[in-house]
PDB file of all heavy atoms in Angstrom:
ATOM      1  N   THR Z  29      15.713   6.648   1.882  1.00  0.00           N
ATOM      2  CA  THR Z  29      15.330   7.982   2.315  1.00  0.00           C
ATOM      3  C   THR Z  29      14.944   8.773   1.072  1.00  0.00           C
ATOM      4  O   THR Z  29      15.410   8.475  -0.029  1.00  0.00           O
ATOM      5  CB  THR Z  29      16.478   8.717   3.042  1.00  0.00           C
ATOM      6  OG1 THR Z  29      17.571   8.854   2.143  1.00  0.00           O
ATOM      7  CG2 THR Z  29      16.909   7.974   4.278  1.00  0.00           C
ATOM      8  N   THR Z  30      14.101   9.765   1.253  1.00  0.00           N
ATOM      9  CA  THR Z  30      13.679  10.614   0.150  1.00  0.00           C
ATOM     10  C   THR Z  30      14.061  12.047   0.473  1.00  0.00           C
ATOM     11  O   THR Z  30      13.667  12.577   1.519  1.00  0.00           O
ATOM     12  CB  THR Z  30      12.150  10.517  -0.054  1.00  0.00           C
ATOM     13  OG1 THR Z  30      11.818   9.156  -0.303  1.00  0.00           O
ATOM     14  CG2 THR Z  30      11.698  11.373  -1.207  1.00  0.00           C
ATOM     15  N   ALA Z  31      14.832  12.657  -0.418  1.00  0.00           N
ATOM     16  CA  ALA Z  31      15.216  14.056  -0.239  1.00  0.00           C
ATOM     17  C   ALA Z  31      14.042  14.942  -0.638  1.00  0.00           C
ATOM     18  O   ALA Z  31      13.406  14.726  -1.671  1.00  0.00           O
ATOM     19  CB  ALA Z  31      16.438  14.379  -1.086  1.00  0.00           C
ATOM     20  N   VAL Z  32      13.762  15.930   0.199  1.00  0.00           N
ATOM     21  CA  VAL Z  32      12.756  16.939  -0.136  1.00  0.00           C
ATOM     22  C   VAL Z  32      13.443  17.930  -1.069  1.00  0.00           C
ATOM     23  O   VAL Z  32      14.550  18.388  -0.785  1.00  0.00           O
ATOM     24  CB  VAL Z  32      12.249  17.658   1.131  1.00  0.00           C
ATOM     25  CG1 VAL Z  32      11.302  18.787   0.778  1.00  0.00           C
ATOM     26  CG2 VAL Z  32      11.579  16.661   2.076  1.00  0.00           C
ATOM     27  N   LYS Z  33      12.811  18.228  -2.195  1.00  0.00           N
ATOM     28  CA  LYS Z  33      13.457  19.145  -3.119  1.00  0.00           C
ATOM     29  C   LYS Z  33      13.504  20.550  -2.512  1.00  0.00           C
ATOM     30  O   LYS Z  33      12.775  20.856  -1.563  1.00  0.00           O
ATOM     31  CB  LYS Z  33      12.802  19.124  -4.487  1.00  0.00           C
ATOM     32  CG  LYS Z  33      11.460  19.794  -4.585  1.00  0.00           C
ATOM     33  CD  LYS Z  33      10.947  19.717  -6.015  1.00  0.00           C
ATOM     34  CE  LYS Z  33       9.786  20.662  -6.210  1.00  0.00           C
ATOM     35  NZ  LYS Z  33       9.336  20.749  -7.571  1.00  0.00           N
ATOM     36  N   LYS Z  34      14.367  21.376  -3.040  1.00  0.00           N
ATOM     37  CA  LYS Z  34      14.541  22.742  -2.536  1.00  0.00           C
ATOM     38  C   LYS Z  34      13.371  23.587  -3.041  1.00  0.00           C
ATOM     39  O   LYS Z  34      13.400  24.129  -4.138  1.00  0.00           O
ATOM     40  CB  LYS Z  34      15.886  23.287  -2.962  1.00  0.00           C
ATOM     41  CG  LYS Z  34      17.006  22.476  -2.327  1.00  0.00           C
ATOM     42  CD  LYS Z  34      18.359  23.008  -2.651  1.00  0.00           C
ATOM     43  CE  LYS Z  34      19.382  22.147  -1.922  1.00  0.00           C
ATOM     44  NZ  LYS Z  34      20.713  22.637  -2.048  1.00  0.00           N
ATOM     45  N   LEU Z  35      12.344  23.661  -2.209  1.00  0.00           N
ATOM     46  CA  LEU Z  35      11.088  24.302  -2.585  1.00  0.00           C
ATOM     47  C   LEU Z  35      11.171  25.823  -2.498  1.00  0.00           C
ATOM     48  O   LEU Z  35      11.734  26.372  -1.550  1.00  0.00           O
ATOM     49  CB  LEU Z  35       9.966  23.813  -1.665  1.00  0.00           C
ATOM     50  CG  LEU Z  35       9.716  22.298  -1.660  1.00  0.00           C
ATOM     51  CD1 LEU Z  35       8.780  21.937  -0.511  1.00  0.00           C
ATOM     52  CD2 LEU Z  35       9.143  21.852  -2.989  1.00  0.00           C
ATOM     53  N   ALA Z  36      10.573  26.487  -3.471  1.00  0.00           N
ATOM     54  CA  ALA Z  36      10.442  27.944  -3.430  1.00  0.00           C
ATOM     55  C   ALA Z  36       9.384  28.307  -2.390  1.00  0.00           C
ATOM     56  O   ALA Z  36       8.640  27.451  -1.904  1.00  0.00           O
ATOM     57  CB  ALA Z  36      10.046  28.469  -4.806  1.00  0.00           C
ATOM     58  N   ILE Z  37       9.284  29.591  -2.062  1.00  0.00           N
ATOM     59  CA  ILE Z  37       8.289  30.060  -1.097  1.00  0.00           C
ATOM     60  C   ILE Z  37       6.891  29.688  -1.599  1.00  0.00           C
ATOM     61  O   ILE Z  37       6.540  29.961  -2.739  1.00  0.00           O
ATOM     62  CB  ILE Z  37       8.392  31.583  -0.911  1.00  0.00           C
ATOM     63  CG1 ILE Z  37       9.770  31.952  -0.375  1.00  0.00           C
ATOM     64  CG2 ILE Z  37       7.297  32.098   0.017  1.00  0.00           C
ATOM     65  CD1 ILE Z  37      10.069  33.441  -0.432  1.00  0.00           C
ATOM     66  N   GLY Z  38       6.113  29.009  -0.754  1.00  0.00           N
ATOM     67  CA  GLY Z  38       4.755  28.614  -1.093  1.00  0.00           C
ATOM     68  C   GLY Z  38       4.641  27.370  -1.953  1.00  0.00           C
ATOM     69  O   GLY Z  38       3.545  26.874  -2.180  1.00  0.00           O
ATOM     70  N   GLU Z  39       5.753  26.838  -2.430  1.00  0.00           N
ATOM     71  CA  GLU Z  39       5.736  25.653  -3.285  1.00  0.00           C
ATOM     72  C   GLU Z  39       5.536  24.394  -2.447  1.00  0.00           C
ATOM     73  O   GLU Z  39       5.933  24.341  -1.282  1.00  0.00           O
ATOM     74  CB  GLU Z  39       7.053  25.561  -4.056  1.00  0.00           C
ATOM     75  CG  GLU Z  39       7.096  24.467  -5.096  1.00  0.00           C
ATOM     76  CD  GLU Z  39       8.405  24.424  -5.867  1.00  0.00           C
ATOM     77  OE1 GLU Z  39       9.373  25.111  -5.489  1.00  0.00           O
ATOM     78  OE2 GLU Z  39       8.450  23.686  -6.852  1.00  0.00           O
ATOM     79  N   SER Z  40       4.939  23.370  -3.057  1.00  0.00           N
ATOM     80  CA  SER Z  40       4.749  22.101  -2.355  1.00  0.00           C
ATOM     81  C   SER Z  40       5.153  20.942  -3.256  1.00  0.00           C
ATOM     82  O   SER Z  40       5.292  21.094  -4.472  1.00  0.00           O
ATOM     83  CB  SER Z  40       3.307  21.947  -1.876  1.00  0.00           C
ATOM     84  OG  SER Z  40       2.428  21.934  -2.974  1.00  0.00           O
ATOM     85  N   GLU Z  41       5.339  19.795  -2.630  1.00  0.00           N
ATOM     86  CA  GLU Z  41       5.762  18.585  -3.325  1.00  0.00           C
ATOM     87  C   GLU Z  41       5.067  17.394  -2.679  1.00  0.00           C
ATOM     88  O   GLU Z  41       4.974  17.319  -1.454  1.00  0.00           O
ATOM     89  CB  GLU Z  41       7.283  18.432  -3.194  1.00  0.00           C
ATOM     90  CG  GLU Z  41       7.826  17.104  -3.622  1.00  0.00           C
ATOM     91  CD  GLU Z  41       9.311  16.924  -3.337  1.00  0.00           C
ATOM     92  OE1 GLU Z  41       9.862  17.559  -2.429  1.00  0.00           O
ATOM     93  OE2 GLU Z  41       9.906  16.096  -4.039  1.00  0.00           O
ATOM     94  N   ASP Z  42       4.591  16.475  -3.490  1.00  0.00           N
ATOM     95  CA  ASP Z  42       4.011  15.232  -2.987  1.00  0.00           C
ATOM     96  C   ASP Z  42       5.066  14.133  -3.008  1.00  0.00           C
ATOM     97  O   ASP Z  42       5.716  13.918  -4.030  1.00  0.00           O
ATOM     98  CB  ASP Z  42       2.819  14.788  -3.842  1.00  0.00           C
ATOM     99  CG  ASP Z  42       1.597  15.662  -3.647  1.00  0.00           C
ATOM    100  OD1 ASP Z  42       1.521  16.354  -2.611  1.00  0.00           O
ATOM    101  OD2 ASP Z  42       0.720  15.656  -4.522  1.00  0.00           O
ATOM    102  N   ILE Z  43       5.233  13.454  -1.879  1.00  0.00           N
ATOM    103  CA  ILE Z  43       6.163  12.339  -1.779  1.00  0.00           C
ATOM    104  C   ILE Z  43       5.351  11.094  -1.439  1.00  0.00           C
ATOM    105  O   ILE Z  43       4.582  11.091  -0.477  1.00  0.00           O
ATOM    106  CB  ILE Z  43       7.234  12.603  -0.703  1.00  0.00           C
ATOM    107  CG1 ILE Z  43       8.030  13.862  -1.074  1.00  0.00           C
ATOM    108  CG2 ILE Z  43       8.150  11.400  -0.557  1.00  0.00           C
ATOM    109  CD1 ILE Z  43       9.031  14.282  -0.022  1.00  0.00           C
ATOM    110  N   VAL Z  44       5.521  10.055  -2.243  1.00  0.00           N
ATOM    111  CA  VAL Z  44       4.768   8.819  -2.080  1.00  0.00           C
ATOM    112  C   VAL Z  44       5.667   7.773  -1.430  1.00  0.00           C
ATOM    113  O   VAL Z  44       6.807   7.579  -1.833  1.00  0.00           O
ATOM    114  CB  VAL Z  44       4.240   8.311  -3.434  1.00  0.00           C
ATOM    115  CG1 VAL Z  44       3.503   6.987  -3.272  1.00  0.00           C
ATOM    116  CG2 VAL Z  44       3.333   9.346  -4.079  1.00  0.00           C
ATOM    117  N   PHE Z  45       5.133   7.120  -0.408  1.00  0.00           N
ATOM    118  CA  PHE Z  45       5.848   6.070   0.318  1.00  0.00           C
ATOM    119  C   PHE Z  45       5.090   4.762   0.217  1.00  0.00           C
ATOM    120  O   PHE Z  45       3.864   4.746   0.185  1.00  0.00           O
ATOM    121  CB  PHE Z  45       5.971   6.430   1.811  1.00  0.00           C
ATOM    122  CG  PHE Z  45       6.907   7.551   2.095  1.00  0.00           C
ATOM    123  CD1 PHE Z  45       6.434   8.837   2.228  1.00  0.00           C
ATOM    124  CD2 PHE Z  45       8.264   7.318   2.230  1.00  0.00           C
ATOM    125  CE1 PHE Z  45       7.294   9.880   2.493  1.00  0.00           C
ATOM    126  CE2 PHE Z  45       9.138   8.350   2.493  1.00  0.00           C
ATOM    127  CZ  PHE Z  45       8.656   9.641   2.628  1.00  0.00           C
ATOM    128  N   GLU Z  46       5.838   3.677   0.212  1.00  0.00           N
ATOM    129  CA  GLU Z  46       5.269   2.340   0.331  1.00  0.00           C
ATOM    130  C   GLU Z  46       5.134   2.028   1.813  1.00  0.00           C
ATOM    131  O   GLU Z  46       6.055   2.281   2.583  1.00  0.00           O
ATOM    132  CB  GLU Z  46       6.177   1.296  -0.311  1.00  0.00           C
ATOM    133  CG  GLU Z  46       6.179   1.310  -1.813  1.00  0.00           C
ATOM    134  CD  GLU Z  46       4.875   0.826  -2.429  1.00  0.00           C
ATOM    135  OE1 GLU Z  46       4.208  -0.036  -1.830  1.00  0.00           O
ATOM    136  OE2 GLU Z  46       4.526   1.331  -3.503  1.00  0.00           O
ATOM    137  N   LYS Z  47       4.000   1.495   2.219  1.00  0.00           N
ATOM    138  CA  LYS Z  47       3.798   1.112   3.614  1.00  0.00           C
ATOM    139  C   LYS Z  47       3.857  -0.396   3.739  1.00  0.00           C
ATOM    140  O   LYS Z  47       3.234  -1.114   2.972  1.00  0.00           O
ATOM    141  CB  LYS Z  47       2.457   1.605   4.141  1.00  0.00           C
ATOM    142  CG  LYS Z  47       2.284   1.276   5.617  1.00  0.00           C
ATOM    143  CD  LYS Z  47       0.892   1.516   6.091  1.00  0.00           C
ATOM    144  CE  LYS Z  47       0.671   1.159   7.534  1.00  0.00           C
ATOM    145  NZ  LYS Z  47       1.298  -0.038   8.033  1.00  0.00           N
ATOM    146  N   HIS Z  48       4.646  -0.842   4.691  1.00  0.00           N
ATOM    147  CA  HIS Z  48       4.743  -2.258   5.007  1.00  0.00           C
ATOM    148  C   HIS Z  48       4.084  -2.503   6.365  1.00  0.00           C
ATOM    149  O   HIS Z  48       4.023  -1.587   7.197  1.00  0.00           O
ATOM    150  CB  HIS Z  48       6.209  -2.699   5.029  1.00  0.00           C
ATOM    151  CG  HIS Z  48       6.890  -2.454   3.714  1.00  0.00           C
ATOM    152  ND1 HIS Z  48       7.762  -1.406   3.519  1.00  0.00           N
ATOM    153  CD2 HIS Z  48       6.797  -3.092   2.532  1.00  0.00           C
ATOM    154  CE1 HIS Z  48       8.192  -1.428   2.282  1.00  0.00           C
ATOM    155  NE2 HIS Z  48       7.622  -2.437   1.653  1.00  0.00           N
ATOM    156  N   PRO Z  49       3.629  -3.711   6.649  1.00  0.00           N
ATOM    157  CA  PRO Z  49       2.922  -3.975   7.911  1.00  0.00           C
ATOM    158  C   PRO Z  49       3.716  -3.613   9.173  1.00  0.00           C
ATOM    159  O   PRO Z  49       3.123  -3.213  10.173  1.00  0.00           O
ATOM    160  CB  PRO Z  49       2.647  -5.484   7.852  1.00  0.00           C
ATOM    161  CG  PRO Z  49       2.627  -5.799   6.399  1.00  0.00           C
ATOM    162  CD  PRO Z  49       3.625  -4.876   5.757  1.00  0.00           C
ATOM    163  N   SER Z  50       5.032  -3.696   9.115  1.00  0.00           N
ATOM    164  CA  SER Z  50       5.835  -3.417  10.312  1.00  0.00           C
ATOM    165  C   SER Z  50       6.176  -1.934  10.478  1.00  0.00           C
ATOM    166  O   SER Z  50       6.756  -1.546  11.488  1.00  0.00           O
ATOM    167  CB  SER Z  50       7.126  -4.232  10.266  1.00  0.00           C
ATOM    168  OG  SER Z  50       7.880  -3.864   9.121  1.00  0.00           O
ATOM    169  N   ASP Z  51       5.835  -1.089   9.503  1.00  0.00           N
ATOM    170  CA  ASP Z  51       6.165   0.342   9.579  1.00  0.00           C
ATOM    171  C   ASP Z  51       5.344   1.041  10.648  1.00  0.00           C
ATOM    172  O   ASP Z  51       4.136   0.819  10.753  1.00  0.00           O
ATOM    173  CB  ASP Z  51       5.910   1.016   8.229  1.00  0.00           C
ATOM    174  CG  ASP Z  51       6.831   0.513   7.138  1.00  0.00           C
ATOM    175  OD1 ASP Z  51       7.878  -0.062   7.471  1.00  0.00           O
ATOM    176  OD2 ASP Z  51       6.503   0.706   5.957  1.00  0.00           O
ATOM    177  N   THR Z  52       6.015   1.888  11.440  1.00  0.00           N
ATOM    178  CA  THR Z  52       5.293   2.582  12.503  1.00  0.00           C
ATOM    179  C   THR Z  52       5.546   4.086  12.556  1.00  0.00           C
ATOM    180  O   THR Z  52       4.677   4.834  12.954  1.00  0.00           O
ATOM    181  CB  THR Z  52       5.655   2.012  13.885  1.00  0.00           C
ATOM    182  OG1 THR Z  52       7.062   2.128  14.079  1.00  0.00           O
ATOM    183  CG2 THR Z  52       5.242   0.558  14.007  1.00  0.00           C
ATOM    184  N   LYS Z  53       6.730   4.563  12.180  1.00  0.00           N
ATOM    185  CA  LYS Z  53       7.080   5.975  12.367  1.00  0.00           C
ATOM    186  C   LYS Z  53       7.526   6.636  11.065  1.00  0.00           C
ATOM    187  O   LYS Z  53       8.256   6.045  10.272  1.00  0.00           O
ATOM    188  CB  LYS Z  53       8.228   6.129  13.367  1.00  0.00           C
ATOM    189  CG  LYS Z  53       7.939   5.599  14.739  1.00  0.00           C
ATOM    190  CD  LYS Z  53       7.356   6.663  15.606  1.00  0.00           C
ATOM    191  CE  LYS Z  53       7.175   6.106  17.008  1.00  0.00           C
ATOM    192  NZ  LYS Z  53       6.059   6.649  17.677  1.00  0.00           N
ATOM    193  N   ILE Z  54       7.116   7.894  10.888  1.00  0.00           N
ATOM    194  CA  ILE Z  54       7.598   8.745   9.801  1.00  0.00           C
ATOM    195  C   ILE Z  54       8.700   9.607  10.402  1.00  0.00           C
ATOM    196  O   ILE Z  54       8.511  10.241  11.445  1.00  0.00           O
ATOM    197  CB  ILE Z  54       6.473   9.623   9.237  1.00  0.00           C
ATOM    198  CG1 ILE Z  54       5.335   8.739   8.723  1.00  0.00           C
ATOM    199  CG2 ILE Z  54       7.008  10.551   8.152  1.00  0.00           C
ATOM    200  CD1 ILE Z  54       4.055   9.483   8.456  1.00  0.00           C
ATOM    201  N   MET Z  55       9.849   9.636   9.740  1.00  0.00           N
ATOM    202  CA  MET Z  55      11.027  10.312  10.274  1.00  0.00           C
ATOM    203  C   MET Z  55      11.442  11.481   9.370  1.00  0.00           C
ATOM    204  O   MET Z  55      11.332  11.406   8.152  1.00  0.00           O
ATOM    205  CB  MET Z  55      12.192   9.324  10.381  1.00  0.00           C
ATOM    206  CG  MET Z  55      11.873   8.038  11.129  1.00  0.00           C
ATOM    207  SD  MET Z  55      11.474   8.279  12.859  1.00  0.00           S
ATOM    208  CE  MET Z  55      13.087   8.691  13.501  1.00  0.00           C
ATOM    209  N   LEU Z  56      11.941  12.545  10.014  1.00  0.00           N
ATOM    210  CA  LEU Z  56      12.506  13.702   9.331  1.00  0.00           C
ATOM    211  C   LEU Z  56      13.956  13.822   9.777  1.00  0.00           C
ATOM    212  O   LEU Z  56      14.240  13.728  10.977  1.00  0.00           O
ATOM    213  CB  LEU Z  56      11.741  14.976   9.715  1.00  0.00           C
ATOM    214  CG  LEU Z  56      12.333  16.313   9.265  1.00  0.00           C
ATOM    215  CD1 LEU Z  56      12.238  16.457   7.750  1.00  0.00           C
ATOM    216  CD2 LEU Z  56      11.617  17.468   9.942  1.00  0.00           C
ATOM    217  N   SER Z  57      14.864  14.005   8.837  1.00  0.00           N
ATOM    218  CA  SER Z  57      16.250  14.233   9.213  1.00  0.00           C
ATOM    219  C   SER Z  57      16.801  15.401   8.417  1.00  0.00           C
ATOM    220  O   SER Z  57      16.370  15.676   7.301  1.00  0.00           O
ATOM    221  CB  SER Z  57      17.106  12.977   9.019  1.00  0.00           C
ATOM    222  OG  SER Z  57      17.261  12.678   7.663  1.00  0.00           O
ATOM    223  N   TYR Z  58      17.751  16.109   9.038  1.00  0.00           N
ATOM    224  CA  TYR Z  58      18.401  17.240   8.391  1.00  0.00           C
ATOM    225  C   TYR Z  58      19.704  17.534   9.109  1.00  0.00           C
ATOM    226  O   TYR Z  58      19.967  17.015  10.187  1.00  0.00           O
ATOM    227  CB  TYR Z  58      17.490  18.473   8.378  1.00  0.00           C
ATOM    228  CG  TYR Z  58      17.045  18.959   9.738  1.00  0.00           C
ATOM    229  CD1 TYR Z  58      17.781  19.920  10.436  1.00  0.00           C
ATOM    230  CD2 TYR Z  58      15.884  18.476  10.324  1.00  0.00           C
ATOM    231  CE1 TYR Z  58      17.371  20.364  11.682  1.00  0.00           C
ATOM    232  CE2 TYR Z  58      15.463  18.913  11.564  1.00  0.00           C
ATOM    233  CZ  TYR Z  58      16.212  19.869  12.236  1.00  0.00           C
ATOM    234  OH  TYR Z  58      15.805  20.308  13.464  1.00  0.00           O
ATOM    235  N   LEU Z  59      20.508  18.373   8.500  1.00  0.00           N
ATOM    236  CA  LEU Z  59      21.792  18.768   9.047  1.00  0.00           C
ATOM    237  C   LEU Z  59      21.668  20.195   9.548  1.00  0.00           C
ATOM    238  O   LEU Z  59      21.241  21.078   8.809  1.00  0.00           O
ATOM    239  CB  LEU Z  59      22.835  18.684   7.925  1.00  0.00           C
ATOM    240  CG  LEU Z  59      24.290  18.611   8.285  1.00  0.00           C
ATOM    241  CD1 LEU Z  59      24.591  17.355   9.074  1.00  0.00           C
ATOM    242  CD2 LEU Z  59      25.131  18.637   7.020  1.00  0.00           C
ATOM    243  N   ASN Z  60      22.048  20.458  10.812  1.00  0.00           N
ATOM    244  CA  ASN Z  60      21.996  21.837  11.292  1.00  0.00           C
ATOM    245  C   ASN Z  60      23.315  22.545  10.980  1.00  0.00           C
ATOM    246  O   ASN Z  60      24.207  21.974  10.351  1.00  0.00           O
ATOM    247  CB  ASN Z  60      21.613  21.910  12.780  1.00  0.00           C
ATOM    248  CG  ASN Z  60      22.697  21.406  13.712  1.00  0.00           C
ATOM    249  OD1 ASN Z  60      23.838  21.168  13.325  1.00  0.00           O
ATOM    250  ND2 ASN Z  60      22.338  21.222  14.968  1.00  0.00           N
ATOM    251  N   THR Z  61      23.452  23.783  11.402  1.00  0.00           N
ATOM    252  CA  THR Z  61      24.645  24.569  11.043  1.00  0.00           C
ATOM    253  C   THR Z  61      25.905  24.076  11.732  1.00  0.00           C
ATOM    254  O   THR Z  61      27.000  24.436  11.321  1.00  0.00           O
ATOM    255  CB  THR Z  61      24.444  26.064  11.368  1.00  0.00           C
ATOM    256  OG1 THR Z  61      24.103  26.191  12.745  1.00  0.00           O
ATOM    257  CG2 THR Z  61      23.355  26.666  10.513  1.00  0.00           C
TER     258      THR Z  61
END
Side-chain angles (χ1 to χ4, degrees):
T29 61
T30 302
V32 175
K33 74 179 194 174
K34 296 183 178 186
L35 301 169
I37 299 168
E39 187 179 10
S40 62
E41 168 186 25
D42 288 340
I43 299 175
V44 178
F45 289 96
E46 287 290 329
K47 183 191 178 320
H48 301 104
S50 61
D51 294 341
T52 58
K53 300 269 184 213
I54 301 166
M55 308 296 288
L56 171 69
S57 69
Y58 59 91
L59 199 63
N60 70 11
T61 56

